[in-house]
Amino acid sequence: STEVASAQHSPLLAYRVAGEETEEMRRIRDDVVLILMPVMNPDGLDIVVDWTEESRGEPWAGSSPPVLYQHYTGHDNNRDWFMITQPETRAVARVLYERWYPQIVLNQHQTAPWPARIFIPPFADPVNPHIPPLAVRGVNTVGNAIGQRLSEEGKPGAISRMTFDMWWNGGMRTAPYFHNMVGILTEVAHRSVAPRYTAPDAIPDLIRGTIPAKAPSVFYPDPWPGGWFRLRDAVEYMVTAAVATLDIASELREDWLLNMWRMGSDAVAAGEAGAPFAYVIPPDQRNPMEATNLVNVLRRGGVEVHRAADAFEAGGQQYAAGSFVVLAGQAFRPHLMDLLEPQVYPDMRIYPGGPPDTPYDVSGWTLPIQMHVRADRVDRPFGLAGLEPVDRASVWPGRVSGDGAWGWVLPARSNASAVAVNRLLADGASVDIAPDGLGSAGPGAYVIRNADRARVEALAAELGVHVTGLSRDPGVPLRGMDRPRVGLYKSWDANMDEGWTRWVMDTYGFPVDTLHDAEIRGADLSRYHAIILPDQRPDGILHGHEPGTRPDALTGGIGLDGMLRLREYVETGGRIIAFDGSSDLLIEQLGLPLRNVVDGLPSDRFFVPGTLVRVTVDTTHSLGYGMPPEAAASFVRSAAYAATGPGDIEVVARYATDGLVLSGWALGEDRLAGRAALVRVPTGAGDVILFGFRPQFRAQPRGTFKLLFNALHGAAAGLHREAGSEGR
């Protein structure tokens, strides 16, 4: 929504398509079905418009709003196209993958490489191997048509083959590739509403250090010479790109339809041949709710899923009735394969022996790995009798055993257990934590009292949790837990990681208060069991916007006063939880005996851009309750810790020494091996929890959500005040 020309071009395009009586437009109307979405996030556009009007004439005119324009995700609403968690992406995915199945998807954006006026395809390498070759060819065809028309209309400055690659599956223009569709991105210059003049002598010699900016080249044949550029110019460039796309859609309409059929037919044939033939998601999952969520992620992306009515054998294994079966012989096989198989990003260099040619976004995202869901690959065909199609999956019902006269035991290993506990606490039930476990329920099991059987059975059926009744006091140590009171820091420099954290808190039932800079400095922080600092640069948290660059109330960050308040909060018994970049702030300002061992390393020696890496977890630690011994962490240019001197530091998770990279790409990953990934540092009567990675990154790594949930429930049970009680 901050790329304002997109929404402004839509009514002009609609007017031309509906009313223009040229031979070309009559042909387009005859040949093409156009679905035009003026803006995917209209309430976000309202936020941008309101901020623009409020800022008119101020020094900060033209700046981005101080809040996320999409309530949870901000600009990451364009990075939600395989998880499809938000209402906007769900609505559009239904149009794309369940109803209309367009052959071409044009996505207009607004950040061209300076000083180019518009980026158009072809894209940069690498190409994801799951993308059909005909989709790549189609992208190049449409891109060339746009470039041709821009030159014909005297609109210079179109550039290709830069920045934007064809690897990642999470963007609006990239996800269609994996659905046999031609995904087109344009990035037009000049996001500002205000006109801007660029003197010809202000044009640099090179664009991003590689392509001549003043002389023609193959992928920049018509350089922009400088001069005035206005919002209207950006709008006209977009209209030209759209009409060029409609024209080539009309001219080659039979080819687009036939090639989409070819890609789908090839996908069906490849899957029916096997290797793989199918994936099976059985009921015996550590985290049944997340297994069901995985199925629904696939369904929202148009992947066909079946459920087995009876037990069956596949790949030499027996599977129970109720197992989900995802056949690889289907039209959207590329999307299915890309989400379920590990990524292996190529090691590309800008020049031989030089720095890495890095991916546009993340390099690895395999869903079963990061959601910690068992999805068995079956390579050879097997009998398909008794398979029933699934529209939207519901979790396998849990069970309740025992009479529960004294209470109920709920193991801690499922994310759904946290949801159940949060709902029970909201209902007024009493919940304890059993640090040493209870019976077959491992360490950290929840013990529930004052909850009637009907309520427990309803939760078990809905969430897929297994609950055991207790007829008498179990006689094991228990720690009473309050309903968690969580404060989440929210900077006036709108932060998408804060928004995703808020989504996780809301979705999994954790009450959360927003703490702006003023609340950190002046509110009663002692009322919170835990305060979360999402991933953000330390300078952004501490200093925020410079005075004079925003209204006074939105400048200055938490300041030293706020930092002193956080120190007082933790030393008097509070818990601060920091993700990734914000951990550096606490290490420095609280004098923690740690350092980030990968901080400041040059990218030609260490670069992990967005990769799933293996971590080993101390499952006896209160932060590790219910976790498996190994998990997948989402490392996005993240952190790793080492002690700098004597101090009470508890390492809860370490980056693995062997087989570190699970999906994606890493350069210099040996620097992570064995380093601390998650630590607890007792501080006064409270403690600091430092996550080197983001356990909730874009709501994807469901396998590490439990580490965050444990930190919150443990704080509400007072476990964090027992400095020295945990394993080192």
Side-chain angles (χ1 to χ4, degrees):
S1 291
T2 52
E3 300 175 3
V4 294
S6 302
Q8 304 308 309
H9 104 286
S10 297
L12 294 178
L13 176 63
Y15 182 79
R16 284 191 62 179
V17 172
E20 190 174 282
E21 290 300 334
T22 62
E23 180 181 348
E24 177 189 56
M25 196 58 73
R26 287 196 296 269
R27 171 172 49 79
I28 288 171
R29 285 196 295 267
D30 287 343
D31 294 344
V32 178
V33 175
L34 168 64
I35 302 172
L36 177 62
M37 180 166 290
V39 58
M40 286 189 190
N41 182 214
D43 47 340
L45 187 63
D46 286 345
I47 290 171
V48 173
V49 171
D50 291 345
W51 175 251
T52 300
E53 292 300 322
E54 293 169 14
S55 304
R56 191 179 299 275
E58 301 288 354
W60 49 88
S63 64
S64 294
V67 296
L68 296 171
Y69 63 74
Q70 199 277 358
H71 180 67
Y72 289 119
T73 69
H75 198 67
D76 265 2
N77 64 355
N78 194 41
R79 299 180 178 95
D80 187 42
W81 289 101
F82 61 73
M83 287 302 284
I84 316 179
T85 65
Q86 301 302 303
E88 296 92 340
T89 44
R90 290 187 181 191
V92 176
R94 283 194 295 272
V95 171
L96 296 179
Y97 310 136
E98 296 183 34
R99 184 177 180 190
W100 281 99
Y101 307 97
Q103 289 86 60
I104 303 173
V105 178
L106 171 62
N107 190 210
Q108 302 253 36
H109 280 255
Q110 231 184 326
T111 309
W114 169 256
R117 297 295 87 188
I118 182 173
F119 170 87
I120 59 175
F123 295 103
D125 285 324
V127 173
N128 187 304
H130 294 302
I131 299 174
L134 282 172
V136 180
R137 296 289 189 186
V139 167
N140 296 344
T141 298
V142 176
N144 288 333
I146 295 172
Q148 179 82 14
R149 194 178 192 100
L150 287 165
S151 292
E152 290 170 354
E153 295 184 1
K155 295 183 172 75
I159 195 168
S160 302
R161 290 289 301 271
M162 175 168 280
T163 304
F164 307 101
D165 60 34
M166 295 185 75
W167 179 259
W168 173 56
N169 190 357
M172 172 59 192
R173 60 94 184 175
T174 60
Y177 305 151
F178 302 87
H179 295 80
N180 308 320
M181 301 172 186
V182 172
I184 303 297
L185 169 74
T186 67
E187 291 275 0
V188 179
H190 195 72
R191 289 172 54 184
S192 173
V193 173
R196 182 176 301 142
Y197 179 78
T198 301
D201 59 5
I203 299 292
D205 292 331
L206 295 174
I207 300 176
R208 298 192 178 174
T210 57
I211 295 179
K214 298 176 181 177
S217 58
V218 172
F219 294 108
Y220 192 52
D222 195 2
W224 183 61
W228 283 102
F229 210 79
R230 300 169 173 84
L231 174 61
R232 180 67 187 223
D233 295 312
V235 166
E236 290 294 345
Y237 270 65
M238 288 185 173
V239 171
T240 294
V243 174
T245 303
L246 291 169
D247 180 49
I248 198 69
S250 167
E251 292 281 4
L252 302 179
R253 69 188 190 283
E254 293 183 356
D255 290 348
W256 300 122
L257 286 165
L258 181 59
N259 285 338
M260 192 178 196
W261 173 84
R262 281 175 170 145
M263 288 184 274
S265 298
D266 290 347
V268 171
E272 290 178 346
F277 179 77
Y279 296 86
V280 180
I281 303 173
D284 56 333
Q285 300 278 342
R286 184 182 192 90
N287 215 329
M289 184 177 75
E290 300 301 355
T292 305
N293 283 338
L294 171 57
V295 170
N296 285 328
V297 166
L298 296 175
R299 289 294 301 124
R300 289 194 291 269
V303 172
E304 297 173 3
V305 181
H306 293 80
R307 199 165 195 162
D310 305 302
F312 65 98
E313 180 180 346
Q317 294 192 55
Q318 294 291 325
Y319 292 99
S323 296
F324 293 108
V325 178
V326 190
L327 298 174
Q330 57 178 291
F332 292 167
R333 180 180 185 270
H335 187 64
L336 165 66
M337 295 286 292
D338 194 62
L339 295 189
L340 298 193
E341 292 288 331
Q343 281 74 48
V344 182
Y345 186 85
D347 186 3
M348 300 169 56
R349 303 300 171 122
I350 295 176
Y351 52 84
D357 189 354
T358 58
Y360 169 67
D361 200 87
V362 300
S363 65
W365 51 86
T366 313
L367 293 189
I369 292 175
Q370 62 174 325
M371 296 179 75
H372 201 82
V373 170
R374 179 185 166 198
D376 294 343
R377 172 173 165 150
V378 181
D379 281 341
R380 301 184 63 182
F382 57 90
L384 302 179
L387 294 186
E388 302 168 346
V390 172
D391 180 22
R392 291 294 182 264
S394 55
V395 72
W396 300 278
R399 61 176 181 269
V400 178
S401 59
D403 60 20
W406 189 86
W408 310 93
V409 179
L410 176 60
R413 60 179 168 266
S414 170
N415 290 345
S417 298
V419 177
V421 164
N422 289 336
R423 291 187 188 176
L424 288 165
L425 288 167
D427 291 344
S430 300
V431 179
D432 297 333
I433 292 178
D436 300 326
L438 205 162
S440 60
Y446 299 104
V447 177
I448 302 156
R449 303 193 67 193
N450 303 323
D452 61 52
R453 187 182 189 94
R455 177 61 171 145
V456 172
E457 288 179 339
L459 286 172
E462 177 189 354
L463 301 175
V465 295
H466 301 322
V467 184
T468 303
L470 296 171
S471 59
R472 56 186 175 83
D473 187 333
V476 299
L478 300 175
R479 293 298 300 266
M481 183 171 68
D482 297 327
R483 191 182 186 201
R485 296 187 298 274
V486 182
L488 174 61
Y489 172 66
K490 185 175 183 178
S491 170
W492 289 117
D493 184 3
N495 180 5
M496 292 179 288
D497 198 61
E498 178 273 331
W500 281 117
T501 306
R502 197 158 19 94
W503 184 89
V504 172
M505 296 292 96
D506 289 351
T507 302
Y508 288 81
F510 286 89
V512 62
D513 288 348
T514 292
L515 300 178
H516 286 296
D517 297 327
E519 283 78 29
I520 294 289
R521 292 192 298 264
D524 178 13
L525 302 181
S526 66
R527 67 183 302 269
Y528 297 109
H529 294 115
I531 293 174
I532 300 173
L533 301 182
D535 173 55
Q536 190 173 359
R537 292 180 300 103
D539 183 68
I541 298 174
L542 195 60
H543 302 300
H545 294 296
E546 292 288 331
T549 63
R550 295 291 192 282
D552 289 345
L554 309 183
T555 63
I558 67 172
L560 293 178
D561 289 345
M563 201 65 238
L564 289 172
R565 294 293 312 285
L566 289 176
R567 178 186 289 275
E568 177 185 11
Y569 165 76
V570 70
E571 288 182 346
T572 56
R575 166 170 278 181
I576 301 178
I577 303 167
F579 300 153
D580 204 340
S582 63
S583 64
D584 291 335
L585 173 73
L586 298 184
I587 290 172
E588 178 182 347
Q589 294 295 322
L590 298 182
L592 304 181
L594 290 163
R595 67 182 179 94
N596 179 1
V597 298
V598 297
D599 182 43
L601 290 176
S603 61
D604 59 349
R605 293 168 55 198
F606 178 81
F607 194 83
V608 186
T611 302
L612 300 180
V613 299
R614 190 190 313 272
V615 294
T616 59
V617 181
D618 179 358
T619 60
T620 66
H621 195 286
S622 63
L623 296 176
Y625 287 163
M627 288 289 294
E630 292 186 344
S634 187
F635 195 102
V636 188
R637 311 184 192 196
S638 300
Y641 307 116
T644 57
D648 205 8
I649 300 171
E650 299 164 9
V651 177
V652 183
R654 293 184 182 275
Y655 298 110
T657 55
D658 297 312
L660 179 68
V661 175
L662 296 171
S663 182
W665 173 69
L667 173 65
E669 66 269 28
D670 56 306
R671 296 175 183 274
L672 293 179
R675 296 295 193 179
L678 168 60
V679 299
R680 172 182 181 256
V681 186
T683 306
D687 65 2
V688 174
I689 307 298
L690 302 181
F691 283 86
F693 54 93
R694 286 179 252 176
Q696 62 355 331
F697 177 67
R698 294 179 184 168
Q700 296 173 15
R702 309 298 173 89
T704 52
F705 281 11
K706 193 68 177 64
L707 296 168
L708 172 59
F709 298 164
N710 285 340
L712 299 175
H713 281 163
L719 293 176
H720 66 301
R721 295 194 177 97
E722 298 183 349
S725 66
E726 309 276 7
R728 297 293 179 265

